[in-house]
Amino acid sequence: MARYQIIVSNLGTVLDTERGNAPIREYLEWVQAARELHGRAAGECVALTEDGEPIREHDGYAYASDACA
């Protein structure tokens, strides 16, 4: 079974699960938080990984485009 993780650049791993339906929904919620102007995740990079490989990434506005890699 695949392992999914969501990593927010200044928070670290915020989700670590094997459930296949939860990660996309949770990832989109963190991306929305990263797009906000205020809050702990504001401007941050968000990545969704499957077995350690990135499958979705959001580059935060607080960083240069290559800083989230």
Side-chain angles (χ1 to χ4, degrees):
M1 181 168 264
R3 174 155 300 285
Y4 297 93
Q5 292 183 316
I6 297 173
I7 301 144
V8 179
S9 56
N10 75 328
L11 299 174
T13 302
V14 295
L15 178 74
D16 188 354
T17 186
E18 292 180 348
R19 293 181 47 211
N21 59 346
I24 297 293
R25 191 173 26 235
E26 184 83 12
Y27 167 80
L28 293 173
E29 289 179 19
W30 281 104
V31 168
Q32 182 60 40
R35 289 180 175 153
E36 298 293 329
L37 296 176
H38 303 286
R40 189 154 173 166
E44 299 298 330
C45 301
V46 182
L48 172 60
T49 65
E50 179 179 6
D51 294 329
E53 296 295 322
I55 57 173
R56 290 197 179 193
E57 295 179 305
H58 167 77
D59 292 335
Y61 63 78
Y63 299 91
S65 62
D66 62 344
C68 298

